[in-house]
């Protein structure tokens, strides 16, 4: 049975949180497509995934308690937003399967130990 460091759980959890926040931002972009002066929103993964500090601390310092949404000035395209939502959904599915796998391995380790 492989050993699963706590770090794997927390990183997968943070990744799931980022993907969830990105889905929220993308759906908000679609909902506000025709709103005048609306600024497209997205989540920048790179600035969080390779950091040494805890994700929640860094996000709350940068964006406040409201979430992980970063504004970008770009043209909105419904097709592009839908493609990004689908890609994001696939990544979320993979990450949730990874978390499920980690939990199953932990359960197996516990059951073997009892």
């Amino acid at each position: 049975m492989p050993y699963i460091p706590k770090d794997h759980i927390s990183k997968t959890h943070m990744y799931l949180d980022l993907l969830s926040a990105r889905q929220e931002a993308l759906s908000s972009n679609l909902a506000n497509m025709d709103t005048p002066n609306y600024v497209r929103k997205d989540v920048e993964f790179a600035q969080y995934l390779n950091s040494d500090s805890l994700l929640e601390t860094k996000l709350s310092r940068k964006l406040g308690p409201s979430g992980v949404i970063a504004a970008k000035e770009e043209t909105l395209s419904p097709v592009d937003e839908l493609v990004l939502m689908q890609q994001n959904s696939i990544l979320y599915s993979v990450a949730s399967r990874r978390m499920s796998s980690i939990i199953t391995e932990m359960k197996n380790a516990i059951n073997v130990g009892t």
Side-chain angles (χ1 to χ4, degrees), residues 28-66:
S28 177
N29 292 341
L30 280 173
N32 290 294
M33 185 108 3
D34 295 327
T35 303
N37 300 321
Y38 178 77
V39 177
R40 183 181 182 278
K41 297 175 182 167
D42 203 349
V43 175
E44 297 293 334
F45 284 62
Q47 64 184 336
Y48 303 116
L49 294 179
N50 295 323
S51 67
D52 292 338
S53 64
L54 290 174
L55 177 68
E56 290 84 359
T57 304
K58 188 168 185 172
L59 291 175
S60 64
R61 267 194 230 129
K62 179 177 173 133
L63 303 167
S66 61

Side-chain angles (χ1 to χ4, degrees), residues 55-114:
L55 177 68
E56 290 84 359
T57 304
K58 188 168 185 172
L59 291 175
S60 64
R61 267 194 230 129
K62 179 177 173 133
L63 303 167
S66 61
V68 295
I69 297 173
K72 287 184 166 186
E73 300 231 4
E74 297 177 8
T75 307
L76 287 170
S77 161
V79 173
D80 291 343
E81 295 300 310
L82 289 170
V83 167
L84 289 172
M85 286 181 78
Q86 186 62 32
Q87 289 172 344
N88 198 66
S89 177
I90 292 168
L91 291 173
Y92 191 90
S93 177
V94 169
S96 63
R97 286 183 190 155
R98 173 65 183 139
M99 183 63 87
S100 179
S101 172
I102 291 170
I103 292 168
T104 300
E105 288 180 31
M106 290 173 61
K107 285 180 180 179
N108 289 340
I110 291 169
N111 289 334
V112 169
T114 58

